[in-house]
Amino acid sequence: GIMREGKLLALDTPSALKHSALPGVAWQVRAAPLLTALTALEACPAVLRLGLVGDHLRAITATAEDAPALRGALEAAGVPITALETVEPTLEDVFLSLAK
């Protein structure tokens, strides 16, 4: 189960939660400089949620067809992209999506 402030937000297996509770596709974005990439993607309309995860960014978009929008936002900001790929969502992604 996923809980916040004593309230049950969702109850299912981890795999099912990752596929049913997340409102889209998770992306791993590796680009530098990282803070410039973060700012560029924050302004991108395709991004539903964005966060810094160690040495890369994690973005959530509605569909996998949003790759050109992500790439375009980074290129417009002059940010070289090392990697832009869909990844398996984490339970943290699910929690942050449900806890908004």
Side-chain angles (χ1 to χ4, degrees):
I2 304 262
M3 296 185 74
R4 179 175 185 220
E5 296 177 359
K7 295 181 183 176
L8 184 63
L9 301 176
L11 180 63
D12 212 330
T13 65
S15 179
L17 286 170
K18 290 176 187 179
H19 292 95
S20 67
L22 195 68
V25 177
W27 296 86
Q28 178 175 285
V29 182
R30 293 188 182 273
L34 201 52
L35 291 180
T36 305
L38 180 68
T39 301
L41 290 178
E42 283 177 331
C44 180
V47 175
L48 303 175
R49 192 175 59 72
L50 180 67
L52 180 63
V53 182
D55 65 347
H56 66 280
L57 300 174
R58 172 74 61 130
I60 305 296
T61 66
T63 69
E65 285 76 40
D66 290 317
L70 298 175
R71 188 171 300 282
L74 293 168
E75 289 173 353
V79 178
I81 303 165
T82 306
L84 177 62
E85 56 194 7
T86 60
V87 292
E88 178 74 19
T90 65
L91 286 177
E92 182 178 2
D93 293 326
V94 172
F95 174 80
L96 292 173
S97 178
L98 292 171
K100 58 182 173 177

